[in-house]
Amino acid sequence: MDLSPTDLDSVVVLTPRVFGDNRGSFFESYNAATLAALGIDTRFVQDNQSHSAEAGTVRGLHFQSPPHAQAKLVRVLAGEIFDVAVDIRRGSPTYGQWTGATLSAENRAQLLVPAGFLHGFVTRVPDCVVAYKCSDVYAPDCEGAVRFDDSDLGIDWGIAARDAVLSDKDAKAPSFADLDTPFTYEARP
């Protein structure tokens, strides 16, 4: 597994080594020992999967607050997405900044989004299937969201906001300015 840092502390792109032959290919999508050797010791307890029928579907920006804050390890089983993480750790030198990565079934890349970050993605093609591991269980009373097209964040989703396919909940998400983040930045030694 290869690890590539992003512009945000702790958000990394993981790319597995793929082994191919005349039958096709094989790769490990997750191995706790391999990740631990890379300095990632997140314990995942739940796997989620979504299917988005239309290109331009936006899911996010979401987070779960403590005591059920979630780190996520996101990958694409079919199609292609642009996956985004936004730092919402109060006191962080990158608070309010975002990073994004193209994840696809073809490139097999994964994005690790730690707790303390908003997460969302936009589908680039129809019929995208996205799978992600979570470090805590879904807890509706702990969920939060920020509007995906908030001008304070300035995320370049690659689509016009008017063309985004959104859930009712995401369409009504509050602004970034209204976020009372439950996360605090802790510098690593």
Side-chain angles (χ1 to χ4, degrees):
M1 181 102 32
D2 294 320
L3 183 146
S4 302
T6 68
D7 294 336
L8 299 180
D9 177 44
S10 303
V11 178
V12 297
V13 175
L14 298 166
T15 307
R17 294 189 176 101
V18 180
F19 303 94
D21 61 23
N22 63 326
R23 300 168 296 165
S25 63
F26 170 86
F27 66 95
E28 284 185 349
S29 61
Y30 176 77
N31 182 310
T34 299
L35 292 182
L38 294 171
I40 299 168
D41 60 0
T42 304
R43 181 178 162 266
F44 294 104
V45 299
Q46 178 176 315
D47 282 1
N48 297 336
Q49 185 169 311
S50 70
H51 170 257
S52 299
E54 296 181 52
T57 298
V58 176
R59 294 180 184 261
L61 296 161
H62 304 142
F63 70 93
Q64 276 198 183
S65 61
H68 295 289
Q70 291 180 329
K72 296 176 182 175
L73 182 60
V74 185
R75 69 188 185 111
V76 174
L77 304 178
E80 179 178 298
I81 66 171
F82 183 64
D83 203 27
V84 173
V86 180
D87 189 347
I88 59 168
R89 301 168 298 166
R90 182 178 285 114
S92 168
T94 56
Y95 180 80
Q97 294 180 27
W98 65 274
T99 191
T102 298
L103 308 181
S104 69
E106 184 177 310
N107 72 15
R108 299 175 182 95
Q110 300 178 65
L111 189 68
L112 177 64
V113 182
F117 290 78
L118 296 169
H119 173 254
F121 63 84
V122 61
T123 59
R124 296 286 192 222
V125 297
D127 291 319
C128 285
V129 178
V130 177
Y132 53 100
K133 295 186 162 311
C134 298
S135 65
D136 207 319
V137 297
Y138 173 66
D141 56 320
C142 294
E143 70 180 351
V146 168
R147 188 155 174 86
F148 86 100
D149 61 346
D150 189 286
S151 60
D152 287 341
L153 298 176
I155 298 169
D156 181 2
W157 293 95
I159 62 168
R162 69 181 174 280
D163 296 331
V165 179
L166 299 168
S167 69
D168 288 341
K169 184 169 68 171
D170 285 348
K172 296 174 184 170
S175 69
F176 183 68
D178 291 336
L179 175 66
D180 182 15
T181 184
F183 299 101
T184 302
Y185 174 74
E186 295 177 24
R188 288 195 266 169

